Structures are given as structure tokens and as C-alpha cells.
Amino acid sequence: MSDTAVSTAEAPQPGRYTVPGPPPRPRSQLVGTGFAIAAGSMAVAGALGHYMARRHLLDDPGHDWLAGQSVPNPQLVYALITLLVSVVTAHWAHWASRRGERGHTWVGMAITLVMGFAFFNMVMYSLNRMGIELGAGEWENLAFAVTGLSLAILIVGMFYLGLMTLRSLGGSVGRDRSTPLGAAVFFWDFAVLAWAATWYVVFVVK
Amino acid sequence: MTDATTEAAHSTGSAVAPQAEDPTAFGLLNTADHKRIGRLFIGFSLLFALAGAVTDVLVRFDLASDSGHTVLNLETFTQVFMFTRDALVFGMLIPFFLGVAIYIVPLQVGAPNIAFARAAALSFWGWLVSFGVLVGAYIGNGGPAGGWDEGVRLHMLALAGLVISLIVGAICVAVTTLTMRAPGMYMDRTPPFAWSALVTASMLVVSLGVVLGQLVLLYIDHGYGRHFLDGNYGVWPRIDWMYRTPQLFIYVVPVLGVAAEIMLATARRWVFEPLALYFTMGLVGLFGFGAWANFGIAGEGADVVDGLEGIVLVGLYAGALAGVGGLLALLGFTVWQSRKWPRPTTAVLAAFGAGKLIAVAALIGLIGAGVDWLNIAGRGVDGNAPLRFTTWVTGQQSLLIYGAGLLGVLAALHWWAPKIWGRRLSELAGWASFAAIGGGAFLAWLGPTLSGAFTEQPQFVYNDPQLTTVYRSLIDSSAAEGLSVVGGIGVVIVLAGIGLVVLNLLVSVGMGKGAEADTDPWGGLTPEWLLDSPPALGQSDSLPQLSSGTPLLDAELNGSVAPAEREASEVPA
């Protein structure tokens, strides 16, 4: 390593850049997660676009896609608020990890994951209460597919957070070792945003 | 290794100790070496190219008869038609250049391996298995218009698998270019092919992501009542934007990168404005995206967005034409500045031809979109069928897939075969392949384009029975039949060209008849030509110390001989 450090510190030659030390590739996982988020965003946007295009085609002002079903708005709003709070705790965990505060990191991640499970509990209760019957109609099919896609992304996000939590439990904390956890938190932000968009389109605008 | 480098390596998770590669065939199954993964992608994609061309021959000659099916029947025609598109786009065009990128990009940017090497291996195996399932779905009378319902959904699952696998591979390539460049290799000095791979990978991620969301909806609705799908035929119109222009432009951006590499190497000169090089390639990729706006989502409410749709299409083609035209002008000016007439090797001919064909495709696409825009009010009512519903589209596909795509494949294979396999391919066979692919692609484009423009022969007659009835009453049967035969003959010639390419590879590389290549047989400019041909298997534990994307040109201009004196700087293990 020392030889490299010496050779890379040579004075710049005409037309050449000074080589700045050892190969820097610190953010591969973060950038890779960014691309995965881009793909996921387009998938959600594609599904919601399809959903809205079908709704638009009905050409029947006042038509209610829900056809008499009632949406349990309070539960769904509480679920969304739970998710939003979990974003705060996830960022708290990452913030603590960057400062090497392991206790705060683990508590933050534990609370985030518990809130994630609580969210799924509330949403499944709400959907069961609505009694959406798959195959009963166009709205049911589309709502099930779009909602399911967003929930699947949240499940992936929780899995990713869980894996990176295990990594931080293994000692991967500190300023230079928190990028993987930051990547997982970044994905969680996206997953929550995707759910918020789905909730607004499917259960608020209807 | 010091504590500092250990910590840095640990924090990234990407730099690990050099791994020994099992050189046996069994080692292919668990390989995490970008060179082997790249070779696997390249090899299988060429096989699928043969399969796609064979089925396209059947489709073309079947269209030669308007009164009935001469080769296939109604049900098998739809299946074979769709399989052809799947094989040529998801079996050949995207994976071939993904494979080349997985092999070449790490060498070009000075990375020890591809980013997330295991994920890249997963990308290959996922793609291969998904393609096998897709073929199985078609064989079992599945596919988007099949008679076997579970088979239709199996096709959707396989397509989702293909898309996810290719997205994963694309992410690996993009992350390598963005985060694993060697010291001194700044983004504004990235080699043209690595940049084109980054553009395509980024655009694949965002454009193919759209179809994933759509497939979820289609799968659910198809399995439960088909409330918005009009039977099995309703699937294809909602996903066929992936196989059409302008989306096809995204898939051929790497061809522009290959062309730039070869033309600049033959000119022994770097472009006077590198940012223009990167910008024009990015422009082609950017304007390739947008297919979602007309055939997929907006197609559901086409009556609302017709006017906007026409303008958007014209704008997309104009943007793509500006990008590819600007790039070719830049490269042409650089070659002219060098005052060196390039030696007509297969790689040079194919690269030159492929680049030009992309520009021609953009120009013809612009004309077609303009005609459709002016004609949009009369769609299907006064006899003015939109060109994009006729075999005009098949002509565009032929131009970009067979013409630009396959010529790009030929150029890349001949240019990088020494670096990938350590042997040069036969030039004689290469010239024959170039003539066959170029000539065949011209006929494959000419027949359907004229037929679509003058006889209004529908590209795909069974996806909308209402339109089919209108079109069929308009078709000039004899002209349409004759022009379909012309297109069919063109595809047969293209098929012969692909066969020659595969044969050339088998003889020159497989049987070892090709001349052994030294480190830099072509006088290349970019960093991969500093390495052995082929580089040893396994993750590299040393990197060239680079100052630009063209170290060999820098050395030439500085009056030093770089290849033998290259420096290797230690990489944190």
C-alpha cells in the first residue's frame, strides 16, 4: 500500500491527472440501491398510470369504483402515519450509526422494524374489512394488483433493513461503515413514498 | 494492507481478496468472474439470435399470402410472431451488449471485477432460465395470445424474469462505471463504450421498470376474470412498446459506443470536444425512452391523447436523430482531421454501417411519425391507416435489430474477440457476414416498409379484430404478397449472415484456427488494450494507473510507448 501511496503522489505531468490515492469505490451499494429504486419507481408509476388510465376510460362522472364498499380511512391513515414515523426512526438509526453509537443504532432499527410490522397488521386488517374479492370486478383486480405491488416493495424494504441491521450488529458502524445501512434506509424512504402514492391514488382519489 | 485500507475495503463491501477461478466447465456454474459471465451472455445470445431469425423467416413468408396462411395457421402465427420479437430483443439484442459490457467495461475503467459480481452471475442464470421458461410457454400454446391460459400467465412470469434479470445486469454495469473507475479515470474521460453502456443501462432500468408494473396488473387481471383484458389477445398490445421504436433506440446505444471506439482508434485521434461525444449518446438514450407514452399506458386512453401522442412521437424521433446525427458528425470530423483513411476491416465496416443505419432509422422514424401526425384524424375511418399500425413498424424493427443491432454485434465481436478469447476472427468470413447482414437487413427493411406505406398491410392482424377488418379490405393483395416475399428473402440472408458469424466463432476460437492475438492487435486507444489477451481468469489484484480513457493515445502523443511500461498500482485486497 505504501508504494502505491508514494507513486500516486507524484507531481502532475502535462496532460495527465494526479492520481488521488487508493481506488475509491465507497458507494457502490448506495448507487446500486439508487438504480434499484429507479426501477421500482418506474414499476409503481407504470402500475398507477395503468390504473388511472382505466379509471379515466370509464367516462362516467360520479361513478364509484368502490361500488358501495367503505374504505376504512382512519386505519389506513394511521398506517401511513406509522410508516412516516418509521422513516424518522430509520434515519435516526443511520445518523447514530455514522457516529458509532451502536446502542442508538440498534434501538432505532428495532423500532423501525416493529413499526413496519405494525403497518402490515393495520393494512391487512383494513383490506380484510373492506372485503375486496379478487376477480369480482375491474376495480378489485386493479386495486389488489397496485396495492400488492407497493406492499411487496415494503416487504423487500423490511428485508433489506433487517439484513443491514444484522450487519450493524456485526460491528459495521462508524462513519466509513454506515453506507450499507444508509442504502437500506434510502430504499425504505422510497418504499414508504411508493405506498403513500398508492394510498392516495387508490384509497383517496378512488 | 494497512488498517485504513482494510477499513475502506470493509466499508464498501466490494473489494475482497483475489479469488481463484475454477477453470473447468463446472466452474462456469458458480463463477463470479465478469469475463466468464460476459462470455456466457455473448454465446447464448448468438444462439437465440439464430432462433429468432428462423422464426422470423416463417412469419415473413406466412404474410406473403393474404388469402390464408401458407406456412402457419392463425394460432401458431401469433405465437411465432411474438416469440420472434421476444427472441430478437430479450434473447439477442439486449443481452449481447450487456454481456460485452460486463466483460469490457471493468477492463476499460480499470476495475478488478464487475460491481456485485454475484448479482451479475445471477443476472445471467436468471435470464437463461427465464428464456427457457418463455420458450416452454410458447411450446405449450401459451404466450400472449395462446390458447392455454396458464401458459399465457407463464409467459408473463418468464417475461418478468427476463426483465428483472436484465435490470440486475444493467445495474451492475452502471455501478461499475460510476463507482469503480481506477484512479485518474474521471467521468469526462470515460471510454466511449463504457459511457454508452452506462447510458443504456440507466435507460433500461427506468424503461423496463415500467413493464414490470404493467405485468403485475396484467397477470392479476388475466388470472381473475379478465375484466379489462379482452381475452388472451389483450396482453400483447399493452407490452409491445418494448419491441418498437423509439424504445429500440435505447437498445442500440452501445452500438454507437462500439462505433466511436473503432472509428477513433482507426483515426488515432480523440474528439476535440469529449462532452459532445457523451452528450449526443445520452441524447439518443434519453429520446429512446418515452415508449410508455404512446403504446402502453396512454394506449388505454388513446382517444384523449391522440394529438399529444403525435407531437410526442415526432419530438422523440427528432431528438434521437439530433443525437445520432451529431455523434456521427463529430466522429466523421475527427476522422477527417486525422487524414487517415481507415483500413476496411470487418470491425470498421460494420461499425461504420451500424452507426449510419441508426441515423437512417431515426430519419425514417421521423418521417413516419410526421405522416401519422398529419394523418391522425383519419385513423381507421377514411382509409388512412397510421403507419405505426402497419408493417412499416416491421421495417423499423428490421433496420434497428438486423441492421444496426447485428452489424454492431459483428463489429464488437471482431474488435474485441482478441481481448475476449485471445484470437482474431477470420476477416474473410467477417466480410461475408457483413455483406450478408447488411444486404439482408436492407431487404428485410425494404419489403415491409413499402408494404406498410403503400398497401397498408397490418403489422399484426389479430390483436384488434375491428382494425383487422378495416385493413383487410384495403390491402392490395398482390403487392403485399410480393413485398412480404422480399422481406422474407432478406431475413433468410440475414440468417445466413448470423450463421456465418457463429461458424466463424466456432472455427476461429472454438477450434483455435484464428491467429493468436497480442496485447493490442488493433492499435486500440482504451485501457483494456493494456492488458493481456485475454486477461487471466479471476479478480484482478492490480489495476493500471490511468490518467484518461485513452492511455495508449496519451502515450503515443507523449512519445512514450505505454503498453510495455504500464504501471500497476496496488489495489487494496
Side-chain angles (χ1 to χ4, degrees), chain A residues 59-72:
Chain A
D59 199 20
D60 181 12
H63 175 86
D64 185 4
W65 271 68
L66 296 178
Q69 294 181 15
S70 67
V71 178

Side-chain angles (χ1 to χ4, degrees), chain A residues 21-108:
Chain A
R25 56 184 77 94
R27 297 193 177 271
S28 295
Q29 190 172 335
L30 189 62
V31 174
T33 302
F35 276 103
I37 287 172
S41 302
M42 297 311 293
V44 172
L48 289 178
H50 209 132
Y51 177 92
M52 288 189 284
R54 292 302 306 175
R55 189 175 60 198
H56 180 83
L57 270 189
L58 275 178
D59 199 20
D60 181 12
H63 175 86
D64 185 4
W65 271 68
L66 296 178
Q69 294 181 15
S70 67
V71 178
N73 279 316
Q75 283 81 3
L76 287 170
V77 171
Y78 295 148
L80 181 64
I81 291 171
T82 306
L83 270 191
L84 292 175
V85 173
S86 78
V87 168
V88 176
T89 57
H91 278 275
W92 168 37
H94 181 228
W95 177 84
S97 175
R98 281 176 60 82
R99 280 152 185 78
E101 296 173 6
R102 297 174 185 225
H104 281 254
T105 303
W106 298 337
V107 170

Side-chain angles (χ1 to χ4, degrees), chain B residues 146-328:
Chain B
W148 176 38
D149 286 345
E150 287 78 9
V152 177
R153 291 195 287 280
L154 190 63
H155 174 272
M156 288 188 220
L157 281 179
L159 196 57
L162 282 173
V163 167
I164 291 171
S165 301
L166 294 174
I167 284 178
V168 168
I171 290 176
C172 295
V173 170
V175 172
T176 304
T177 313
L178 285 173
T179 70
M180 294 180 70
R181 297 185 311 281
M185 173 71 79
Y186 293 91
M187 275 310 290
D188 61 350
R189 295 183 165 222
T190 310
F193 180 72
W195 175 262
S196 70
L198 173 64
V199 170
T200 297
S202 307
M203 297 311 297
L204 283 180
V205 166
V206 292
S207 61
L208 294 186
V210 176
V211 85
L212 272 184
Q214 286 187 291
L215 281 172
V216 171
L217 267 61
L218 297 178
Y219 185 89
I220 296 289
D221 194 64
H222 188 274
Y224 296 92
R226 288 168 221 172
H227 293 283
F228 70 86
L229 280 173
D230 307 320
N232 289 338
Y233 291 127
V235 177
W236 185 257
R238 291 176 171 85
I239 60 173
D240 79 335
W241 58 268
M242 293 188 296
Y243 311 89
R244 288 167 171 254
T245 53
Q247 178 75 7
L248 280 176
F249 285 113
I250 289 176
Y251 309 149
V252 295
V253 170
V255 175
L256 295 173
V258 174
E261 293 268 351
I262 295 172
M263 291 171 76
L264 293 176
T266 55
R268 312 299 306 158
R269 200 176 181 91
W270 187 232
V271 289
F272 70 91
E273 182 47 74
L275 287 182
L277 183 81
Y278 302 139
F279 177 74
T280 48
M281 275 196 255
L283 209 58
V284 179
L286 196 65
F287 281 97
F289 182 78
W292 61 271
N294 47 77
F295 300 118
I297 295 164
E300 297 284 345
D303 57 323
V304 179
V305 294
D306 271 351
L308 179 65
E309 182 183 5
I311 298 169
V312 167
L313 274 175
V314 169
L316 290 175
Y317 285 115
L321 181 61
V324 70
L327 178 68
L328 292 180

